[in-house]
Amino acid sequence: MKQKIEHKGRNPRITVCYTPEEYKKIVDNAAACGLKKSQYIHDTSLSQEPKAMMSDKETDALISLKAARGELILIKNALHGTTQEQRKKYFRNEQFMRQWIEGVNSLIRRLAEIEGMFKR
């Protein structure tokens, strides 16, 4: 008696031939994205753009950016909890204080934008 085999997921196939150079490029690109070559070909053939995984250096850079942003936010929050008079004592120059606070706010926003770029 024949058993009925139930297929899950994708099962139609397409066979494509590549030159050795093309094959190597596919294998290298798939590895850079952390994908098997068949998944990489599948995704790219459907106009999806697999992203290369972050290198250890990029990961370390992102962690450093997050830490720097966190430190700036802590400083900003600490200053926010002080009176205007206390801030003037810390900075000794009201114009410099305003510029410093604006600069910190700008850096915090920019670091958040950079972090967002890594996540895309």
Side-chain angles (χ1 to χ4, degrees):
M1 182 196 284
K2 257 188 174 178
Q3 287 184 345
K4 193 172 188 179
I5 298 173
E6 188 175 318
H7 293 281
K8 294 182 181 180
R10 309 181 296 239
N11 63 357
R13 302 201 185 285
I14 298 173
T15 303
V16 181
C17 297
Y18 297 98
T19 65
E21 294 82 19
E22 291 169 334
Y23 181 81
K24 182 180 179 344
K25 185 176 179 180
I26 290 168
V27 170
D28 291 346
N29 289 345
C33 295
L35 299 172
K36 294 180 179 179
K37 63 183 178 253
S38 60
Q39 185 65 48
Y40 177 81
I41 291 169
H42 174 269
D43 292 353
T44 55
S45 69
L46 296 175
S47 299
Q48 297 171 3
E49 296 180 28
K51 302 288 183 198
M53 295 187 317
M54 284 194 290
S55 68
D56 290 341
K57 203 172 188 179
E58 290 171 325
T59 302
D60 290 343
L62 180 59
I63 290 169
S64 294
L65 284 174
K66 285 182 173 189
R69 182 173 175 259
E71 292 294 323
L72 286 172
I73 290 171
L74 286 173
I75 293 168
K76 179 184 165 191
N77 290 342
L79 281 175
H80 186 70
T82 61
T83 66
Q84 191 72 14
E85 286 302 313
Q86 288 173 315
R87 285 187 222 152
K88 285 180 185 177
K89 284 180 187 176
Y90 295 147
F91 289 96
R92 296 194 180 131
N93 181 318
E94 196 170 334
Q95 183 181 357
F96 174 74
M97 177 186 72
R98 275 195 230 108
Q99 289 173 340
W100 188 89
I101 291 171
E102 287 173 20
V104 167
N105 288 336
S106 176
L107 276 172
I108 290 170
R109 282 191 302 273
R110 183 64 183 136
L111 290 172
E113 290 170 7
I114 292 169
E115 187 180 333
M117 285 188 248
F118 273 99
K119 292 180 180 179
R120 290 184 203 148

